[in-house]
Amino acid sequence: MNAGIAKDVTTRPEFTLAVLAAAGFVALAAATDGNLLSRGTLEAFFRFLAVPIVIGLSQMVVLAVGQMNLSVGTLTGLSAMVAAWLMLEGGLPAPLAVLGALGAGLAAGLVNGLLVVFTRINGFIVTLATMTIIEGLRYGVNGPDTFQGYSPGLRDLGAASVLGLPVVLILALVVAALVALFFGRAVAGRQLLATGGSPFAARLSGVSNDRSIVIAHGLSGLLAGVAAVITVAASGSVNSSIGDDLLLPSFAAPIIGGVALAGGVVSVAGTCLAAFLIRLVDVMQAQFGINPRWIDLIVGAVVLGAVLLGTVRQKLSKGPS
């Protein structure tokens, strides 16, 4: 029985990702002559891991219902600018500005979901359109200028650590645990998976697929707002280009982590581990001065490979037709 359990664990994608993450970390530490293991470098590594984890989860919850959200990056940037604007121009304290950023993300996500439901247009197209709109709104908040000098307390929180772990990473892991509980224990979470797995069967079981789509997009927007708050706290400044580089990582983390594009399958642990691997690639690029375009090529190729592998695995699981 124990052997069967061990075999089941070792054949899961999360186990493979954990082994790759550990091996990659050791290899990169050796390649940098131990520089990666210095306290400052290690803290920076984990501090900037927080956003990839949360943004991957933001995309994952939409993939759960078989949808996509192309606006996660621009939405993160808009929410970050809203928070900074509320503190600097609106004169609001940091807690209210944080709520404003979360509210902006949630509202935009709900709009995405409602547009998908009422227009019956694929979420890919809808969020492509709202991504463009949000880019304009984001630029319209303060143009090309940079927001800086906002709440020292919030910036101190972004730089703070507990037992060597950055507070923002701890926040990201708490969010990941809550998302895991949502899909594992909450009725709404199980309904999202049912909608993604088989909309027809879900409808026969009394699940409102439309409600699931709206909830998924709303939660995605809320998580993008969380990523924005982490960005505002950790970066110390915000401009209109914030979030532009998050679209590819938002897909890469859940897809490499074993989440099905067709919906119905999520993996919070896999998404977090894949985000760790992507962060390793970013550090490798910085350490060795690799052209970022090559990094994009590598990550894109890995994502494509993960999609193809998932397709083959799905066909094999169904057996011959």
Side-chain angles (χ1 to χ4, degrees):
M1 182 176 179
N2 290 335
I5 294 175
K7 183 179 179 180
D8 182 62
V9 170
T10 55
T11 55
R12 291 182 63 84
E14 292 87 351
F15 179 82
T16 303
L17 286 170
V19 172
L20 288 174
F25 185 83
V26 171
L28 188 57
T32 58
D33 296 324
N35 180 55
L36 181 62
L37 300 178
S38 65
R39 180 173 179 178
T41 304
L42 207 55
E43 283 195 9
F45 176 91
F46 287 118
R47 179 168 291 109
F48 291 103
L49 174 60
V51 168
I53 286 176
V54 177
I55 205 68
L57 295 172
S58 176
Q59 192 67 252
M60 186 195 76
V61 296
V62 180
L63 290 173
V65 294
Q67 296 270 317
M68 296 182 186
N69 185 1
L70 298 185
S71 66
V72 289
T74 54
L75 182 50
T76 298
L78 176 65
S79 299
M81 294 196 75
V82 166
W85 186 90
L86 288 174
M87 285 184 284
L88 290 174
E89 303 295 333
L92 295 181
L96 291 180
V98 166
L99 290 177
L102 297 178
L106 175 61
L110 290 174
V111 168
N112 280 339
L114 290 171
L115 285 173
V116 171
V117 167
F118 286 116
T119 64
R120 298 301 174 186
I121 299 174
N122 188 280
F124 180 92
I125 303 299
V126 168
T127 57
L128 176 63
T130 56
M131 177 183 72
T132 307
I133 294 170
I134 291 170
E135 283 179 346
L137 288 174
R138 187 181 58 177
Y139 185 83
V141 172
N142 201 47
D145 296 335
T146 298
F147 287 114
Q148 54 188 354
Y150 45 77
S151 172
L154 186 60
R155 286 183 281 124
D156 289 343
L157 183 66
S161 298
V162 176
L163 300 176
L165 285 178
V167 170
V168 289
L169 176 63
I170 296 173
L171 172 62
L173 295 177
V174 169
V175 169
L178 291 174
V179 172
L181 284 173
F182 172 75
F183 281 108
R185 300 291 181 86
V187 173
R190 292 195 293 271
Q191 289 177 343
L192 261 62
L193 294 176
T195 294
S198 175
F200 179 72
R203 187 165 59 250
L204 290 179
S205 300
V207 175
S208 170
N209 293 324
D210 289 347
R211 184 173 64 241
S212 293
I213 289 172
V214 173
I215 290 174
H217 278 281
L219 184 56
S220 177
L222 180 61
L223 289 170
V226 174
V229 171
I230 292 173
T231 299
V232 171
S235 66
S237 64
V238 177
N239 58 41
S240 59
S241 67
I242 288 289
D244 286 348
D245 57 346
L246 293 178
L247 182 58
L248 178 58
S250 78
F251 278 104
I255 291 173
I256 296 172
V259 176
L261 274 177
V265 177
V266 296
S267 175
V268 172
T271 298
C272 293
L273 287 167
F276 183 91
L277 285 170
I278 294 168
R279 180 76 185 114
L280 280 178
V281 173
D282 288 338
V283 172
M284 180 180 70
Q285 183 268 324
Q287 286 286 333
F288 301 107
I290 303 172
N291 190 314
R293 297 302 178 189
W294 285 109
I295 298 301
D296 291 342
L297 186 150
I298 293 170
V299 174
V302 172
V303 171
L304 178 60
V307 171
L308 293 175
L309 182 61
T311 302
V312 171
R313 185 180 297 155
Q314 187 176 21
K315 288 182 178 179
L316 290 175
S317 65
K318 290 181 179 179
S321 55

